[in-house]
Amino acid sequence: MANSILVGAQWGDEGKGKIIDFLTEQADIVVRSQGGNNAGHTVIAGSKKYVLHLIPSGILRSGKVCFIGNGVVIDPVSLVEEIEGLKAQKIKVGKNLVISESAHLVLPYHRLLDAQKEAQKGKKKIGTTKRGIGPAYGDKIARTGLRMSDLARPEVFSAKLKAKIAENNKILKACGEKPLNFKAVNEAYLAAGAKLKQYIANTAVLLHEALGQKKEILFEGAQGTFLDIDHGTYPYVTSSNTTSGGASTGSGFPPHRIDKVIGVMKAYTTRVGEGPFPTEDDVISDMLHGMGREFGATTGRARRCGWFDAVATRYAGIINGIDELSITNLDGLDGLETIKVCVAYKLGRKTIEVPPNDCDLLAQCKPVYIELPGWKTPTENARKFSDLPVNAQKYVKKIAELTGAKLTIVSIGPGREQTIVL
Ligand code: GDP
Ligand code: IMO
Ligand code: MG
C-alpha cells in the first residue's frame, strides 16, 4: 500500500474513519497529524460502533501501531477518557499508541475562550465544536502554549499552568466568566498526565525508523479540505492544515517519502457549523435527516446537506494532489429519481470553475447543475462494482471524473463488508 495520506475532500465527516479502518488492514502504522477532539470518526466493526476523536481509527485492528503526531492538539483529560472508553469496549490500548512529546495541550481556558469568542460573534459565529481548538492553536502559534513534554514533568507543568491561568483569568473575568481554579485544573491535568506518560515519545524519530524498516504508514486526516486554515472557507474553518501538506509538518515525516494521497468524499455534500455552502439544499437535507442520517459524531448537531459539488472537489484534488478517490454514502442517494451535480458556479454574470477563496464571494455563488438519473434500488448489499445498478455505476464514475482522480473505493454502508474495491 506504500505510505499514504488520507484526506477529506469536502467539509469533514466524509467517512474518513470508515475508510481508514478498511485500509488499516494493509498498513502497519496509522498517524493523526492535525486537529484535536473536534474530530469524530465513526467506525462500525461487526456489531460494535466506535467513535474516535483523538486516537487514530487504526487502533481497532490488532497488531497496528497508532501515532498522535506533533501537529495534533490534545486535551489530556479527554484523551484519557477516550482510552478508557476503548478499553471498556475491549480494545487494547498500550504499546500500540504513541503520542508526540511536541503535541500542544488544550486546557480549560481554551474551551472557555472558544465559547466566549463564539458568543461575542453572535450571528457571525463560526459554529465551532467548542473543544477549544482555535485558542489552543492560537497559543501554539503565539509561542505561549504548553506541550505534552511539559505535562510529563509535573513541576514544569504546574509553574507554566499557574502563569497561564493567571493571564487567562483576567480575560475570562472581563468576559463575565468565572475564573478558573488553578489547583483543580492542575490536579486533573497532572492525573491525566500520569496516565499518558507511558505513551509519550519523539514520534518523528520513531516514524523515521519505521520508514527505514519499510513499514507502511497511513496518515489519517481529520476535518476536510474546506475547513483548512489556509485553503478553506476562511474564517469558517478549523485552525489546522487539514489538507495533505499538514500530514508532513504535523508528524515530521518528509513529504518526498509519501507515495500517494487518497481523497474521501461523500456522494453528496455535508457541512456542520456556519459558512458558505453553495450546493446546500432542503430537499436532500430533509430526505437524509428523515432517514436518521447526518447527525454529527462529536456534537450531535444536524449536518447541513447538499448536492455533490464538483467545483469544490476538483479544487480539493488540486490542493491535496489526490491520486485515488473513495466515495462513501452512495446508498444515501438510493431513493432519488434524479440527482443534481454541481459542475460550475455562477458569480454574477460570470461562470467559474474554481471556488473563490473569499468566503463572501463564495456565498454569492450559485451552483450550475447537471442532472443524472437515479437508480431507485437499494445498494447496501452490493459487494462488487458490477452488483451496483448501472445508473449508480455511472453516477460514481461521473463524479470521480469531474473530481479528476482515479476511483478505487465505493462505500455503500457503514460496515466493513459494505466496501467495494475497484
Ligand atoms: P469522518 O469524520 O470523516 O470519519 O466521518 P463521520 O464518522 O463523522 O461521519 C460519517 C458517517 O457515515 C458515520 O456515521 C459512518 O458510520 C457513516 N458511513 C461511512 N460510510 C458510509 C456509507 O457508505 N454508507 C452509510 N450509510 N454510512 C456510511
Ligand atoms: P471530522 O474529522 C466536520 C467544523 C466545526 C466548525 C469549524 C470550526 O469528524 O471530519 P473547531 O471546533 O474546529 O474550531 O470548529 O470546523 N469541524 C468539523 N466539521 N467534521 C469535523 O471533523 C470537524 N471538526 C471541526 O463544525 O464549523
Ligand atoms: Mg466526523
Side-chain angles (χ1 to χ4, degrees):
M1 194 180 74
N3 299 325
S4 315
I5 301 177
L6 181 141
V7 290
Q10 296 160 320
W11 274 273
D13 301 327
E14 294 91 347
K16 298 177 293 295
K18 170 185 163 159
I19 303 297
I20 286 281
D21 170 68
F22 183 79
L23 295 176
T24 300
E25 203 172 7
Q26 305 155 51
D28 299 301
I29 295 174
V30 185
V31 186
R32 268 284 301 270
S33 56
Q34 43 72 227
N37 64 348
N38 49 347
H41 298 175
T42 314
V43 180
I44 311 283
S47 58
K48 285 198 175 169
K49 175 177 165 170
Y50 305 90
V51 183
L52 287 313
H53 297 286
L54 272 164
I55 300 178
S57 305
I59 200 82
L60 304 177
R61 297 212 185 239
S62 62
K64 314 290 172 174
V65 183
C66 290
F67 281 57
I68 299 181
N70 54 278
V72 176
V73 288
I74 301 175
D75 181 331
V77 175
S78 149
L79 178 55
V80 167
E81 277 170 19
E82 190 171 334
I83 292 171
E84 283 169 2
L86 283 171
K87 285 182 175 169
Q89 283 183 291
K90 306 258 182 301
I91 300 296
K92 184 186 149 231
V93 186
K95 288 208 163 60
N96 56 343
L97 178 66
V98 195
I99 304 170
S100 167
E101 57 197 5
S102 304
H104 275 252
L105 303 181
V106 180
L107 288 142
Y109 46 83
H110 293 133
R111 281 196 304 275
L112 293 170
L113 290 172
D114 191 354
Q116 278 296 334
K117 285 182 186 195
E118 283 285 271
Q120 281 165 23
K121 284 197 185 98
K123 277 193 180 153
K124 292 201 165 149
K125 70 172 189 211
I126 296 166
T128 73
T129 59
K130 298 206 177 81
R131 299 293 190 271
I133 304 299
Y137 276 113
D139 266 351
K140 171 178 173 171
I141 302 302
R143 297 157 296 182
T144 55
L146 272 68
R147 309 201 288 180
M148 286 305 288
S149 55
D150 295 316
L151 190 63
R153 293 174 297 163
E155 278 172 29
V156 172
F157 175 77
S158 299
K160 289 190 179 179
L161 179 72
K162 197 167 204 173
K164 286 299 287 183
I165 288 196
E167 170 198 327
N168 282 290
N169 272 350
K170 288 184 201 149
I171 304 168
L172 291 169
K173 226 166 129 190
C175 300
E177 187 75 53
K178 258 180 42 196
L180 284 164
N181 179 291
F182 162 71
K183 200 163 163 272
V185 177
N186 191 44
E187 268 172 23
Y189 274 65
L190 286 181
K195 288 186 180 155
L196 295 177
K197 202 169 175 180
Q198 59 179 308
Y199 305 109
I200 303 174
N202 183 333
T203 44
V205 169
L206 295 176
L207 283 174
H208 176 75
E209 285 169 10
L211 181 64
Q213 293 158 4
K214 305 244 178 314
K215 301 266 191 221
E216 305 221 341
I217 305 169
L218 180 56
F219 292 85
E220 172 173 350
Q223 291 81 50
T225 300
F226 295 96
L227 293 172
D228 184 282
I229 185 73
D230 287 291
H231 303 290
T233 53
Y234 191 89
Y236 300 98
V237 291
T238 190
S239 299
S240 65
N241 282 116
T242 63
T243 45
S244 55
S248 181
T249 54
S251 65
F253 196 77
H256 63 302
R257 297 286 177 250
I258 292 163
D259 304 296
K260 69 176 171 192
V261 178
I262 303 164
V264 183
M265 57 193 203
K266 277 180 175 148
Y268 47 93
T269 314
T270 65
R271 166 163 212 176
V272 208
E274 308 304 315
F277 179 3
T279 62
E280 186 169 19
D281 185 278
D282 284 347
V283 172
I284 186 162
S285 210
D286 292 348
M287 177 190 81
L288 291 165
H289 293 149
M291 291 157 83
R293 297 167 70 129
E294 302 307 345
F295 294 92
T298 297
T299 58
R301 292 179 288 178
R303 295 175 183 147
R304 298 158 65 192
C305 305
W307 301 107
F308 185 81
D309 184 344
V311 178
T313 58
R314 192 161 48 226
Y315 194 63
I318 295 172
I319 298 291
N320 295 292
I322 295 175
D323 301 298
E324 296 181 0
L325 276 176
S326 298
I327 297 177
T328 69
N329 286 274
L330 180 65
D331 52 308
L333 303 177
D334 284 351
L336 292 166
E337 195 77 50
T338 57
I339 306 167
K340 289 184 186 174
V341 172
C342 169
V343 291
Y345 296 154
K346 273 268 183 212
L347 181 58
R349 287 193 185 157
K350 269 183 140 169
T351 301
I352 55 173
E353 291 186 355
V354 171
N357 279 314
D358 183 302
C359 84
D360 294 331
L361 290 180
L362 182 60
Q364 291 167 34
C365 287
K366 301 272 176 277
V368 177
Y369 288 118
I370 55 169
E371 287 208 29
L372 300 177
W375 44 94
K376 300 205 78 176
T377 314
T379 51
E380 60 179 3
N381 294 319
R383 295 295 174 265
K384 303 190 296 293
F385 194 69
S386 57
D387 291 342
L388 290 172
V390 172
N391 283 350
Q393 296 183 19
K394 285 186 180 160
Y395 180 79
V396 288
K397 280 191 177 160
K398 183 71 187 174
I399 61 174
E401 179 197 310
L402 287 167
T403 301
K406 188 177 158 209
L407 178 63
T408 52
I409 290 178
V410 178
S411 168
I412 33 75
R416 281 176 174 168
E417 68 293 352
Q418 292 173 302
T419 315
I420 298 171
V421 180
L422 277 84

